[in-house]
Amino acid sequence: MWISQQITAAQNRKTAAEVAEVTGAAVMQGEREYRGIPFLGPWGIAYLPPNTAKTVVVGTGSRNACIGAVTQEKGIAPGELLLFSSGGASIYLKNNGDVVINGQVFAAQKEG
């Protein structure tokens, strides 16, 4: 009896977070399949990860949510920000104040 209770309890435990792979439009596969869950991020930024992207799914108490995607190393320094799309568009905010949009550098304005 004790063993069956332990097995049942282990099956009912939810992990706090899971890496899941995108397999379709807003569909992710991890230990189980996730459909129709919200994508959370900073206000004003909307995203939908492409197929095969690795996402992070967490339980929020009432339901699951995707809190972001795992990205490959992009060669940016601490404090910098890179926005990019799977089609190749990018906006890179550099620590020196430069803004790079699709490879075109907009140098920071010098004061004085």
Side-chain angles (χ1 to χ4, degrees):
M1 182 71 161
W2 179 85
I3 292 175
S4 63
Q5 289 173 340
Q6 296 303 311
I7 292 170
T8 302
Q11 290 172 343
N12 290 333
R13 277 189 215 116
K14 293 182 181 179
T15 57
E18 175 181 12
V19 174
E21 183 174 315
V22 177
T23 58
V27 178
M28 289 151 277
Q29 182 66 51
E31 288 182 14
R32 63 186 193 98
E33 185 176 78
Y34 301 94
R35 292 179 172 268
I37 64 174
F39 289 86
L40 308 180
W43 187 92
I45 297 177
Y47 67 98
L48 187 59
N51 283 354
T52 71
K54 303 291 188 216
T55 60
V56 179
V57 177
V58 299
T60 63
S62 61
R63 62 188 289 196
N64 293 311
C66 176
I67 60 168
V70 179
T71 60
Q72 300 291 327
E73 172 63 38
K74 297 292 185 184
I76 65 174
E80 295 183 332
L81 175 69
L82 175 63
L83 298 173
F84 63 92
S85 72
S86 61
S90 66
I91 300 173
Y92 182 15
L93 306 179
K94 300 182 74 171
N95 285 332
N96 66 1
D98 289 353
V99 177
V100 182
I101 301 175
N102 294 334
Q104 184 175 354
V105 178
F106 296 87
Q109 298 292 322
K110 303 290 182 199
E111 289 187 33

